């Protein structure tokens, strides 16, 4: 039954098709004859990126000023559902004030590998935490009548070749890791939109994937909203529509609308499928268009203070030897590092926000009661050695009681469209730390960056203090000062694992997929699911974070699926603790993680105060996905329920016995000896094939194969002189942009390199026709006719 059946019956076929793509870069089409309005969408997800001038999806052109909140990777360290919901609500209010009906976020792809260039936009390596926090943000956004648009559905695990890469992943890992966060969001927060990802999954593009869309999203999860392509993410328009992808963005100047009309006319597309898609679009438009009729004036200072609060609650104290923090009044403090003067507070790409205000840590520290003896830049921000900068910093450090060193990743290191090359900090920063430690041992490092780093200076003999701000938004400086001075007791805990070196990462041998495919040979064993299960030491475990106080756990009681326990603040200052609940199957017979996060609670306690915490579980907490039964299953037996301050700091334990459900031997340990033995970084073709259930395609391109519409300019270098010239020209432009210090523009050259030839006609609105592209491909393939 269609909600808008009467209205749809009045529409022509051409009008129906027109609603399936945009009017321009950010707006849907309106049909004035039938009083159907258009709505505006904007990028997010940690701020409103509404462009008043030239539009783009890469963060290159200016947007109107808006509050820049901490990124998802930062907010995730708060583990605070209420806070994340409030941030969503504040985001939505700014949307309403600018007549924006939908914001494109939150991003909730699972952090398969710490090198992913867009990890700063994603919450966690854990699907439970991801789904919980993303649900909170969606709820907050939609409480103001604005549509949220979780993204990127699904398995968008790398930026390199993201528009064509084929993510090869087994069904169980797909369900338990890469789809679970989305499932929780759909079932708990009912988002009005969902964005499909660019990539293929097991050979089929995500936006036209019948199993992913029709069978799982719509049938199993009963999703009621609209699916929109990522910008330029449409492959075959009619195939996408059949799979349940209603809206293509941005506009294609009617090119794909015509394809839909022709398909209906020729009988290749049932008009009933188009009608259902139109019905979903009308529901979205009429529901969210109301924001354009609301007048709402934003108190930008109030929104800024919310950004400060969010930043404070998300910063993580990683090391505090000899209680070097908090700092005390009148201490002689040297401030070193370019990031102190020019803060790094957000990522780059489609989430680049133009903040309403921004202060630096340096200017705020100079206003405190600290005796700031001076500031030294210390290193070149974009890399490169400088003995003079190091010398100035060392001389300054020798005159101070303590040294605050601001380090991190620069703006070119983390961005949409490109993955990181390494987890190492730049050599010039590491050299600076080594030289500073020779003259002063009282060093606190303040890190800025969107994710995991190798931290050799955090060893026992290294720096004494370490605070990770992540990318904390426009309020980052004020929040940091409050943490450093003890005005706020840090409560953040890591939502991802920190290995000692990149070589310890389970997917390191397989990541990224360089050409045709990206093989998820590690299966279920990503992040802590690998490190904890296989006893691989890490620098900092999942869920880790220090406080200026201490907490004691006691008196665990389980009643059915409800677990209660006490937490006491045994220290001298008020603080917040994040108690985490992990489930471990005793004597398991199947390949699985040793334990998994299935609940948590964040609680504030005054000194000496005790509170009772209750965490409720459900059947899903004990389940794994059975491919054989095409359903969730439970292995019979005893499960340990563990309560801890982090994954590696378990304080309390109880047990529960579960009955079998859909149990089989399909994942028994003896069937997968390599996974069972922990040899995750060297899984053989044979065992991976067994896990997949089919023979994986070739991982590399064949230079001898002709290039087609789904190939890219990056592949052109393998062809004749014309292909090499095309590739070389693009790379020359990138080099020039790097030389003139335009890192964002330089990085986004990869968007051009990795764009499929099929998108050229659509992105140019037909100015470069498909026939011209096909002619170019014939030439590049050596056919000059």
């Amino acid at each position: 039954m269609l909600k808008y059946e009467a209205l749809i019956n009045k529409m022509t076929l051409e009008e129906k098709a027109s609603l399936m793509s945009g009017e321009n870069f950010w707006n849907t089409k309106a049909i004035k004859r039938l009083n159907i309005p258009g709505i505006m969408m904007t990028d997010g997800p940690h701020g409103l990126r509404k462009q008043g001038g030239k539009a783009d999806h890469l963060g290159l052109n200016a947007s109107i000023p808006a509050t820049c909140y901490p990124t998802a990777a930062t907010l995730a360290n708060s583990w605070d559902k209420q806070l994340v919901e409030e941030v969503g609500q504040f985001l939505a209010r700014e949307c309403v004030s600018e007549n924006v009906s939908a914001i494109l976020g939150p991003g909730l792809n699972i952090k398969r590998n710490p090198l992913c260039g867009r990890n700063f936009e994603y919450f966690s390596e854990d699907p439970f935490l991801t789904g919980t926090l993303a649900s909170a943000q969606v709820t907050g956004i939609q409480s103001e009548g604005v549509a949220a648009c979780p993204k990127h559905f699904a398995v968008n695990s790398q930026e390199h070749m993201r528009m064509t890469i084929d993510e090869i992943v087994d069904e169980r890992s797909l369900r338990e890791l890469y789809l679970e966060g989305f499932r929780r969001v759909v079932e708990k927060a009912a988002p009005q939109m969902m964005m499909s990802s660019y990539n293929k999954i097991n050979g089929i593009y995500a936006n036209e994937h019948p199993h992913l869309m029709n069978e799982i999203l719509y049938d199993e999860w009963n999703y009621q909203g609209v699916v929109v392509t990522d910008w330029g993410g449409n492959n075959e328009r009619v195939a996408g529509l059949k799979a349940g992808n209603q809206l293509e963005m941005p506009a294609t100047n009617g090119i794909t609308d015509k394809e839909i009309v022709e398909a209906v006319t020729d009988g290749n597309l049932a008009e009933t499928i188009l009608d259902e898609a139109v019905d979903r679009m009308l529901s979205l438009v009429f529901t969210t268009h109301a924001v354009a009729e609301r007048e709402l004036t934003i108190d930008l200072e109030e929104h800024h203070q919310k950004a400060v609060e969010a930043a404070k609650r998300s910063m993580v104290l990683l090391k505090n030897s000899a209680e070097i923090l908090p700092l005390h009044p009148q201490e002689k403090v040297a401030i070193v590092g370019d990031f102190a003067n020019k803060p790094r507070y957000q990522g780059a790409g489609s989430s680049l926000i133009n903040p309403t205000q921004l202060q630096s840590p340096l200017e705020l520290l100079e206003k405190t009661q600290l005796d700031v003896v001076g500031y030294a830049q210390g290193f070149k921000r974009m890399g490169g050695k400088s003995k003079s900068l190091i010398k100035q910093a060392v001389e300054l450090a020798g005159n101070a009681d303590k040294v605050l060193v601001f380090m991190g990743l620069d703006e070119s290191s983390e961005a949409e469209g490109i993955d990181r090359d390494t987890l190492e900090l730049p050599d010039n920063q590491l050299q600076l730390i080594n030289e500073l430690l020779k003259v002063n041992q009282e060093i606190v490092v303040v890190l800025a960056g969107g994710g995991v780093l190798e931290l050799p200076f955090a060893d026992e003999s290294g720096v004494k203090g370490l605070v990770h701000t992540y990318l904390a938004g426009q309020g980052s400086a004020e929040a940091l000062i409050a943490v450093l001075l003890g005005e706020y007791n840090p409560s953040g805990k890591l939502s991802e694992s920190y290995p000692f070196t990149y070589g310890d990462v389970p997917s390191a041998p397989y990541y990224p997929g360089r050409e045709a495919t990206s093989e998820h040979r590690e299966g279920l064993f990503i992040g802590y699911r690998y490190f904890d299960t296989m006893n691989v030491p890490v620098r900092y475990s999942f869920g880790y974070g220090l406080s200026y106080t201490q907490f004691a756990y006691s008196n665990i009681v389980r009643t059915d699926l409800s677990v209660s326990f006490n937490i006491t603040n045994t220290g001298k200052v008020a603080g917040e603790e994040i108690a985490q609940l992990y489930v471990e199957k005793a004597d398991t017979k199947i390949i699985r993680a040793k334990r998994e996060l299935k609940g948590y609670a964040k609680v504030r306690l005054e000194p000496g105060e005790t509170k009772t915490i209750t965490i409720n579980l459900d059947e899903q907490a004990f389940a794994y996905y059975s491919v054989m039964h095409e359903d969730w299953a439970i292995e019979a037996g005893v499960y340990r329920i563990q309560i801890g301050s982090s994954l590696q700091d378990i304080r309390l334990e109880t047990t529960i016995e579960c009955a079998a459900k859909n149990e089989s031997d399909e994942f028994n340990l003896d069937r997968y000896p390599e996974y069972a033995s922990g040899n995750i970084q060297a899984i053989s073709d044979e065992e991976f094939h067994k896990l997949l259930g089919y023979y994986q395609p070739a991982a590399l391109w064949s230079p001898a194969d002709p290039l087609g519409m789904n190939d890219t300019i990056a592949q052109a270098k393998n062809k004749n002189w014309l292909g090499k010239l095309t590739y070389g020209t693009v790379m020359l432009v990138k080099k020039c942009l790097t030389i003139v210090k335009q890192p964002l523009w330089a990085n986004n050259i990869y968007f051009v390199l990795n764009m499929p030839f099929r998108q050229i006609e659509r992105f140019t609105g037909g100015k470069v026709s498909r026939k011209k592209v096909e002619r170019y491909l014939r030439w590049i393939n050596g056919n000059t006719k």
Side-chain angles (χ1 to χ4, degrees), residues 225-237:
V226 164
V227 174
V228 60
T229 65
D230 202 341
W231 264 233
N234 173 53
N235 176 46
E236 294 289 342
R237 186 66 193 99

Side-chain angles (χ1 to χ4, degrees), residues 514-534:
R514 291 293 179 186
E515 296 184 356
T517 71
S518 179
E519 297 181 345
H520 292 234
R521 294 198 180 211
E522 71 281 0
L524 295 169
F525 297 104
I526 66 169
Y528 76 81
R529 284 167 166 76
Y530 169 74
F531 299 121
D532 187 44
T533 306
M534 308 306 172

